[in-house]
């Protein structure tokens, strides 16, 4: 089968959308962490903005860990298929804005040079929560993180995202160039402000004059990104190949919905993303709160409880009335904690989320979302819990979601099989779980004592210790379905016969 490439685009079926025209080399965005999400979101918006505004912004991706994305995209000259999967059927488009992918560990200096190149105007990031090397509970740089320790000692050959940003900016200052705008597209609250803080902390340590320059000349706009984009599977690749009649080694699968709220503060220009539907807003925080707490908070709760109940995907879990009932209660607890963005009705937003979660064409694995819980819990669930605790409000659904994480972090599923836990703190969870020997209070207490996740305030509350021990005991003895049924006051077999979506 022939490989997708610029020369054979004419062979594509007429239903596949493609971007016509040459590939001039315009202003550049360097994107750190070029995964499926950025390719379905940032790149799609950028391609559309280029077409509508007559510009030629291009993206150079940087992989901070593995060569896979470079190896898949380079033989295709950066082209790939974006498959938009609606319940009524897929649409396919060829995305043609990625010109190159660099693999940082192979040649870190090439990445620093690319960052310092005059054509680079914006550096965007999707490096996931743990890629910031910070302490999730405090938002400060983790000076003990091995990559930060390494980057301080090897400033021109860094490994971490903060290390690369500081090295690239330092080189630009030395060359007499203006800084680039840095925009994180990760799911962190006040993401631009947090990243600015990390970069400045690092820069201050190595050169206070550099920090002062970044502070006065640089820009770190916050933004809220939203699009559900599960990891691409071999079945997705085969399906795309059959539809295209060409081999694409790395298509991306996305839901139709997308949203991007951006703080409009760029020091060296930007694509006209608003022409492609991005919202340029004065204040991003309300959008972030809404999305992180309502979408991601629900996603994580569903991921842990759903995985334990044997649901492989979010669509399967939400088709189960027990989980749909749980979500309704969870959103009722979250909504009062969220300041609604202008013109948004949060109850309506929740209804649309349920529809998006139910999309049977999207196979988003609960296991994938369950990853890195230690990095996700604070902004997804714990801020909401704190808000309610401060006001003396009960939060049974939130507590159950967090207890679901505790049960999952214990490392064995309900059939006694080991869970493949991916988390920077996985070794700590295993120690705590081994020491607890199945005792719910010891297990929940040990996990709650992880201050990097729960801060100092939550572990200090005896009422929470008791509540988590109780929820965890129920999950350990009765399982997730029975606990949910009890929580909703319904028989546990409700929905057990619901037909699972086909792989
Ligand atoms: C998910 C997100 O994997 C996860 O943790 O909750 O990737 C989610 O799909 C996106 O934030 C949706 O915009």
């Amino acid at each position: 089968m022939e490989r997708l490439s610029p020369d054979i685009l004419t062979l594509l079926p007429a239903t596949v959308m493609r971007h016509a025209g040459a590939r001039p080399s315009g202003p550049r965005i360097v994107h750190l962490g070029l995964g499926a999400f950025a390719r379905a979101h940032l790149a799609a918006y950028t391609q559309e903005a280029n077409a509508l505004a007559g510009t030629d912004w291009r993206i150079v991706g940087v992989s901070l860990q593995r060569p896979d994305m470079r190896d898949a995209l380079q033989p295709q000259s950066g082209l790939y298929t974006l498959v938009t999967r609606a319940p009524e059927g897929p649409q396919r488009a060829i995305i043609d804005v990625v010109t190159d992918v660099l693999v940082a560990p192979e040649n870190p200096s090439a990445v620093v040079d690319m960052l310092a190149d005059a054509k680079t105007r914006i550096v965007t990031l999707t490096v996931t929560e743990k890629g910031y090397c910070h302490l999730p509970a405090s938002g400060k740089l983790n000076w003990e993180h091995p990559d930060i320790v390494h980057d301080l000692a090897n400033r021109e050959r860094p490994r971490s995202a903060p290390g690369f940003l500081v090295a690239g900016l330092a080189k630009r200052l030395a060359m007499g160039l203006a800084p680039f705008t840095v925009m994180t597209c990760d799911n962190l609250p006040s993401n631009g402000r947090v990243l600015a803080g990390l970069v400045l902390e690092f820069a201050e340590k190595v050169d206070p004059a550099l920090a002062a320059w970044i502070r006065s000349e640089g820009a770190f706009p916050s933004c809220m990104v939203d699009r559900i984009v599960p990891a691409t599977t071999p079945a997705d690749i085969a399906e795309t190949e059959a539809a295209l009649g060409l081999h694409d080694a790395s298509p991306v699968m996305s839901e139709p919905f997308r949203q991007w709220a951006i703080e409009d503060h760029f020091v060296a220009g930007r694509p006209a993303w608003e022409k492609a539907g991005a919202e340029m807003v004065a204040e991003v925080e309300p959008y972030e709160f809404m999305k992180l707490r309502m979408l991601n908070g629900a996603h994580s709760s569903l991921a842990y409880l759903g995985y334990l109940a044997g649901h492989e995907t979010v669509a399967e879990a939400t088709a189960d009335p027990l989980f749909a009932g749980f979500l309704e209660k969870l959103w009722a607890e979250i909504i009062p904690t969220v300041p609604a963005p202008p013109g948004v009705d949060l109850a309506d937003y929740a209804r649309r989320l349920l529809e998006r979660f139910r999309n049977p064409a999207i196979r988003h694995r609960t296991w994938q979302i369950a990853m890195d819980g230690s990095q996700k819990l604070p902004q997804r669930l714990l801020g909401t819990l704190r808000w309610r605790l401060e006001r003396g409000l009960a939060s049974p659904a939130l507590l159950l979601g967090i207890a679901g994480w505790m049960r999952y972090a214990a490392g064995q599923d309900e059939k006694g099989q080991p869970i493949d836990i991916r988390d920077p703190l996985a070794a700590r969870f295993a120690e705590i779980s081994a020491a607890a020997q199945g005792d719910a209070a010891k297990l929940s207490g040990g996990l709650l004592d992880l201050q990097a996740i729960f801060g100092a305030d939550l572990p200090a509350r005896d009422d929470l210790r008791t509540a988590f021990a109780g929820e965890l005991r129920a999950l350990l003895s009765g399982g997730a379905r029975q606990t949910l049924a009890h929580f909703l006051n319904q028989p546990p077999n409700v929905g057990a016969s619901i037909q699972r979506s086909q792989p």
Side-chain angles (χ1 to χ4, degrees):
M1 175 94 45
E2 270 200 274
R3 185 89 176 245
L4 179 64
S5 82
D7 306 331
I8 52 170
L9 287 182
T10 48
L11 299 182
L12 288 170
T15 50
V16 178
M17 291 194 285
R18 71 210 81 176
H19 178 68
R23 294 162 57 86
S25 169
R28 181 188 302 127
I29 298 170
V30 174
H31 185 80
L32 307 184
L34 190 75
F37 178 80
R39 293 194 296 134
H41 191 272
L42 166 79
Y45 273 98
T46 303
Q47 169 151 309
E48 283 174 40
N50 276 341
L52 294 166
T55 53
D56 50 22
W57 284 83
R58 299 283 145 184
I59 299 173
V60 169
V62 175
S63 297
L64 293 176
Q65 282 156 11
R66 291 178 303 274
D68 316 25
M69 192 59 75
R70 188 266 322 271
D71 294 350
L73 292 187
Q74 230 166 41
Q76 308 178 178
S77 305
L79 299 188
Y80 60 89
T81 318
L82 170 60
V83 184
T84 305
R85 285 182 161 166
E88 53 280 4
Q91 269 193 349
R92 298 182 178 82
I94 303 298
I95 301 290
D96 182 13
V97 278
V98 175
T99 52
D100 204 357
V101 183
L102 306 180
V103 182
E106 287 177 5
N107 190 351
S109 313
V111 176
V112 176
D113 289 346
M114 183 63 77
L115 293 170
D117 187 275
K119 263 196 176 164
T120 299
R121 306 290 168 76
I122 304 175
V123 178
T124 48
L125 298 89
T126 46
V127 293
T128 78
E129 295 84 351
K130 61 178 179 290
Y132 293 87
C133 309
H134 71 316
L135 300 165
S138 69
K140 296 276 180 220
L141 198 62
N142 178 3
W143 290 105
E144 285 161 25
H145 193 293
D147 289 352
I148 298 295
V149 172
H150 169 275
D151 291 0
L152 268 181
N154 303 273
R155 286 183 34 213
E156 279 152 35
R157 298 178 59 78
R159 278 184 192 153
S160 72
F164 274 111
L165 292 171
V166 172
L169 287 164
K171 188 153 184 186
R172 290 177 87 97
L173 177 60
M175 290 165 66
L177 289 173
F180 41 70
T181 301
V182 181
M183 181 164 66
T184 150
C185 301
D186 274 300
N187 286 317
L188 296 168
S190 310
N191 55 4
R193 201 141 40 82
V194 168
L195 179 54
L198 301 174
V199 167
L200 288 169
E201 251 188 276
F202 194 117
E204 194 72 51
K205 184 108 162 183
V206 300
D207 176 6
L210 172 65
W213 176 74
I214 298 172
R215 205 173 274 119
S216 71
E217 313 281 314
F220 294 81
S222 284
C223 75
M224 178 277 261
V225 294
D226 189 8
R227 193 165 211 186
I228 293 174
V229 188
T232 302
T233 64
D236 298 328
I237 296 177
E239 184 202 273
T240 308
E241 177 165 310
L244 295 186
L246 294 172
H247 177 64
D248 178 349
S250 196
V252 278
M253 307 297 129
S254 164
E255 66 168 339
F257 180 91
R258 65 181 193 185
Q259 192 178 11
W260 199 4
I262 305 174
E263 192 176 85
D264 200 358
H265 180 34
F266 291 77
V267 287
R270 62 166 175 82
W273 286 311
E274 71 281 9
K275 291 201 190 297
E279 298 159 71
M280 309 309 295
V281 301
E283 241 200 312
V284 172
E285 265 87 359
Y287 293 87
E288 288 180 325
F289 270 123
M290 172 178 79
K291 196 258 172 168
L292 285 168
R293 293 186 173 184
M294 292 185 65
L295 188 157
N296 298 112
H299 244 182
S300 288
S301 308
L302 270 187
Y304 299 117
L305 295 168
Y307 183 95
L308 293 168
H311 289 307
E312 200 190 334
T313 66
V314 170
E316 269 177 27
T318 27
D320 177 340
L322 281 179
F323 281 82
F326 167 74
L327 279 180
E328 202 180 304
K329 300 237 185 260
L330 183 69
W331 280 323
E333 288 176 19
I334 299 172
I335 285 177
T337 79
V338 174
V344 176
D345 172 358
L346 295 174
D348 190 52
Y349 182 76
R351 275 191 289 277
R352 293 188 66 188
L353 285 180
L354 189 62
E355 258 171 54
R356 291 170 62 193
F357 287 3
R358 279 193 171 144
N359 180 350
I362 293 290
R363 291 190 49 77
H364 202 183
R365 293 176 69 197
T366 47
W367 177 81
Q368 188 189 347
I369 300 168
M371 267 190 245
D372 294 337
S374 67
Q375 315 292 303
K376 292 174 174 174
L377 251 45
Q379 59 275 17
R380 295 184 175 205
L381 294 167
L382 303 181
T384 318
L385 178 63
R386 280 194 181 89
W387 191 98
R388 296 184 63 88
L389 286 171
E390 278 159 21
R391 287 159 185 79
L393 300 168
S395 313
L398 282 163
L399 292 179
L400 186 50
I402 299 163
W405 168 76
M406 292 176 164
R407 170 68 189 81
Y408 183 92
Q412 270 196 356
D413 71 13
E414 293 184 0
K415 297 195 179 104
Q417 296 303 310
I419 302 176
D420 178 6
I421 294 181
R422 304 286 173 93
D423 194 294
L425 296 189
R428 286 290 293 131
F429 303 163
E431 282 166 20
I432 293 166
S433 174
Q437 296 192 324
D439 180 300
K442 279 196 190 138
L443 181 55
S444 60
L447 291 167
L448 193 58
D449 283 332
L450 291 170
Q451 293 206 2
I453 306 174
F454 293 97
D457 56 336
L458 298 179
R461 295 184 63 125
D462 286 339
D463 56 344
L464 275 189
R465 288 193 176 269
T466 312
F468 281 129
E471 296 298 343
L472 189 54
R473 195 167 298 118
L475 286 168
L476 284 167
S477 60
R481 291 190 60 79
Q482 191 177 306
T483 308
L484 276 180
H486 181 74
F487 173 71
L488 295 169
N489 232 339
Q490 283 179 9
N493 56 355
V494 174
S497 61
I498 291 281
Q499 195 152 11
R500 299 221 162 153
S501 51
Q502 295 305 307

